């Protein structure tokens, strides 16, 4: 496959819109190779369009690689460098992003638009540094906060852009909460931002409505914030924009779903996010689908209509599954993986009533690097309180190079814990009717159970394994994989950007991999019938 400068770009745009990540990755790899071997200057207008489309759908890794290759090929105009910095930011490479943006800011002093964009991105970089720096480093944290405020204030004062203004408001409010004295009246700025965002009338776009929503949060106008949320969703906010707003409300405004205004806003945003199928890597916390939140969501759905919602029964089923999922921890080192409960008798008559399923590379007495069963602590974080549980005995374990599954009996389970019901049959993969996979687990050992619901298409399968695009992270090992009806279909165990294709197909592609649960059940039953652990 090679890049054709006339036709391949059209294929790329189609793949981006179709949310076909493997195709996007492959086409971008072709473009990067073309830039390395072809000395002809690449058309700037086409380069800008390619980068813009990748950014629009948050394909940040391909965006970074293509922008980097364009810069190496001599196409280092401000727009390309800005896109490069954007990709670094969204991949968490903050120091490199700041270096690129500071140099860019020096070079575009005569270009108001690019200067404004660069300063806004610098504000965002320092905001991320501030939010992610622990309170145990107060001096460094304050410095990041001051730099973020400085950049957002500068661009807001100069250009008057409401989006930068609301970021300034959020940070000034955080400064007061954290006992940092910074000049500026956040409520006055919030009123001005709200007036600017709402004064656009029918010309207001998605981000204008999102800005108005945050301004209402700042001003304590909670009922109006719900109305603004309705306008935000109605304006066509996609999952990427919704995810950004959700992160801003969680991380900067520190809202939570247990009290207002988070009770009115976060579940609606989480519901809208769950209802969409984009390409991305956003997870939704189980706490935002609690019974109280879902009751509130029922009321809000009557107010807001059906825009962006699944049925409440679908959400409640997702919550039920969360109550079967546990964090597998080392008592000293913390979370190492995920496990989940199933009905033991459904696996084999000799099994206890309830068993825990996880990966052998997470818990095993035999696999190097796995947590020994004697050390494992199993905690059900979707449930209120309660101590962790220990593994009483391992019933069966399949080696990592086989099925990579461990089935164990615990010393007890919480009364509120549920079981993951196995699907009666495997989903059928049809090219004309994409099939979804949903993962619930503890990515990166997070304490909160997370639902991975984006870019969730099943890609391929053989008799033992299935590949899917559902985003996962370290710590997701051992997570249950569900179909759209929230029936258990597989155990997640691996993933990467260069996974070998199944069924003898040549080549590598980005995918995650699970083991069919019916195959697990078959091999466990055969082993127990033969008296093998």
């Amino acid at each position: 496959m090679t890049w054709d400068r006339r036709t391949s770009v059209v294929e790329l745009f189609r793949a981006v819109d179709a949310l076909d990540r493997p195709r996007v990755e492959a086409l971008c790899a072709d473009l990067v190779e073309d830039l390395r071997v072809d000395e002809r200057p690449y058309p700037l207008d086409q380069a800008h369009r390619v980068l813009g489309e990748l950014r629009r759908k948050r394909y940040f890794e391909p965006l970074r690689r293509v922008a980097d290759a364009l810069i190496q090929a001599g196409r280092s105009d401000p727009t390309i460098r800005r896109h490069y910095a954007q990709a670094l930011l969204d991949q968490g490479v903050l120091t490199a992003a700041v270096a690129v943006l500071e140099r860019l800011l020096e070079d575009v002093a005569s270009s108001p638009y690019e200067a404004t964009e660069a300063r806004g991105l610098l504000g965002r970089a320092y905001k991320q540094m501030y939010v992610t720096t622990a309170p145990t480093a107060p001096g460094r944290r304050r410095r990041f906060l001051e730099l973020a405020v400085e950049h957002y204030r500068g661009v807001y004062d100069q250009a008057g852009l409401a989006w930068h203004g609301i970021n300034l408001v959020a940070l000034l409010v955080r400064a007061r909460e954290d006992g940092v004295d910074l000049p500026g009246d956040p409520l006055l700025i919030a009123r001005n931002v709200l007036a600017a965002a709402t004064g656009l009338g029918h010309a207001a776009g998605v981000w204008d409505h999102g800005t108005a929503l945050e301004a209402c949060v700042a001003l304590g106008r909670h009922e109006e914030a719900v109305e603004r949320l309705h306008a935000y969703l109605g304006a066509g906010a996609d999952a990427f924009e919704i995810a950004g707003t959700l992160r801003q409300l969680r991380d900067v405004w520190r809202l939570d779903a247990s009290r207002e205004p988070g009770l009115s806003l976060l579940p609606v945003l989480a519901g809208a996010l769950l209802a969409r199928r984009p390409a991305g890597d956003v997870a939704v916390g189980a706490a935002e689908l609690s019974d109280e939140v879902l009751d509130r969501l029922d009321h809000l759905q009557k107010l807001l209509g059906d825009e962006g919602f699944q049925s409440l029964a679908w959400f409640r089923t997702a919550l039920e599954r969360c109550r079967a999922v546990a964090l597998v921890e080392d008592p000293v080192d913390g979370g190492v993986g995920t496990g989940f409960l199933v009905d033991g008798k459904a696996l084999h008559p000799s099994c206890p009533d309830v068993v825990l399923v996880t990966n052998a590379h997470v818990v095993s007495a035999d696999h190097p690097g796995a947590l020994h069963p004697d050390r494992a602590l199993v905690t059900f974080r979707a449930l209120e309180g309660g101590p962790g549980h220990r593994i009483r005995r391992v019933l069966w374990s399949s080696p990592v190079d086989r099925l990579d599954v461990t089935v164990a009996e615990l010393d007890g389970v919480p009364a509120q814990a549920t079981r993951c019901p196995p699907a009666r049959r495997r989903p059928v993969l049809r090219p004309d009717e994409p099939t979804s996979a949903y993962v619930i687990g503890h990515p990166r050992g997070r304490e909160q159970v997370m639902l991975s619901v984006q870019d969730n298409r099943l890609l391929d399968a053989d008799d033992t394994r299935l590949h899917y695009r559902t985003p996962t992270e370290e710590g997701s090992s051992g997570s249950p994989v569900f179909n759209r009806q929230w029936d258990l279909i597989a155990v997640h165990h691996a993933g990467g950007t260069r996974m070998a294709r199944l069924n003898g197909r040549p080549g590598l592609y980005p995918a995650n991999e699970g083991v069919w649960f019916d195959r697990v059940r078959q091999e466990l039953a055969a082993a127990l019938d033969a008296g093998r652990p």
Side-chain angles (χ1 to χ4, degrees), residues 263-264 267-272 288-289 291-304 309-312 315:
L263 180 58
S264 291
V268 179
L269 286 165
E288 284 155 10
L289 295 176
D291 286 333
E292 181 183 12
V293 165
L294 289 173
D295 289 340
R296 179 64 172 163
L297 183 56
D298 191 17
H299 167 75
L300 290 170
Q301 186 168 352
K302 292 180 176 66
L303 172 65
L304 300 179
F309 289 96
Q310 296 283 358
S311 71
L312 282 173
F315 288 125

Side-chain angles (χ1 to χ4, degrees), residues 423-437:
R424 294 184 178 181
R425 61 185 62 87
R426 296 180 180 183
V428 178
L429 276 67
R430 296 188 180 94
D432 58 336
E433 188 178 335
T435 304
S436 299

Side-chain angles (χ1 to χ4, degrees), residues 205-417:
V206 168
W207 288 116
D208 299 308
H209 293 300
T211 298
L213 163 62
E214 284 194 56
C216 290
V217 170
L219 296 169
R221 302 181 186 179
H222 297 168
E223 292 185 3
E224 188 177 349
V226 173
E227 296 175 6
R228 299 298 172 192
L229 176 58
H230 186 195
Y232 176 64
L233 295 177
D238 63 24
F240 313 105
E241 293 155 341
I242 293 169
T245 301
L246 199 53
R247 280 194 300 269
Q248 177 84 347
L249 293 178
R250 287 171 178 162
D251 298 344
V252 183
W253 289 102
R254 293 193 287 200
L255 303 189
D256 66 67
S258 65
R259 60 181 184 273
E260 295 292 0
L263 180 58
S264 291
L265 301 176
L266 298 183
V268 179
L269 286 165
L273 187 59
L274 279 167
R276 288 156 168 81
R277 298 183 185 180
D281 55 354
V282 177
V284 177
E288 284 155 10
L289 295 176
S290 67
D291 286 333
E292 181 183 12
V293 165
L294 289 173
D295 289 340
R296 179 64 172 163
L297 183 56
D298 191 17
H299 167 75
L300 290 170
Q301 186 168 352
K302 292 180 176 66
L303 172 65
L304 300 179
D306 292 331
E307 173 61 39
F309 289 96
Q310 296 283 358
S311 71
L312 282 173
W314 194 83
F315 288 125
R316 291 189 186 279
T317 304
L319 178 61
E320 286 297 305
R321 299 299 181 263
C322 290
R323 291 171 178 159
V325 176
L327 176 64
V328 180
E329 303 178 73
D330 182 297
V332 175
D333 297 331
V336 298
T338 301
F340 59 94
L341 298 178
V342 298
D343 181 352
K345 299 302 183 186
L347 298 182
H348 192 268
S350 68
C351 287
D353 290 341
V354 183
V355 297
L356 178 82
V357 179
T358 187
N359 286 150
H361 79 259
V362 173
V363 173
S364 173
D366 302 320
H367 179 66
L371 184 62
H372 193 280
D374 292 344
R375 285 190 57 81
L377 183 67
V378 179
T379 56
F380 293 83
R381 299 303 177 92
L383 304 176
E384 291 290 337
H389 297 269
R390 295 288 185 173
I391 291 178
R392 178 173 293 161
R393 59 182 173 130
V394 171
L395 303 168
W396 174 76
S397 189
S398 176
V400 174
D401 59 359
R402 180 68 178 165
L403 298 186
D404 189 18
V405 170
T406 290
V407 178
E409 180 185 10
L410 299 178
D411 62 5
V413 296
Q416 292 178 306

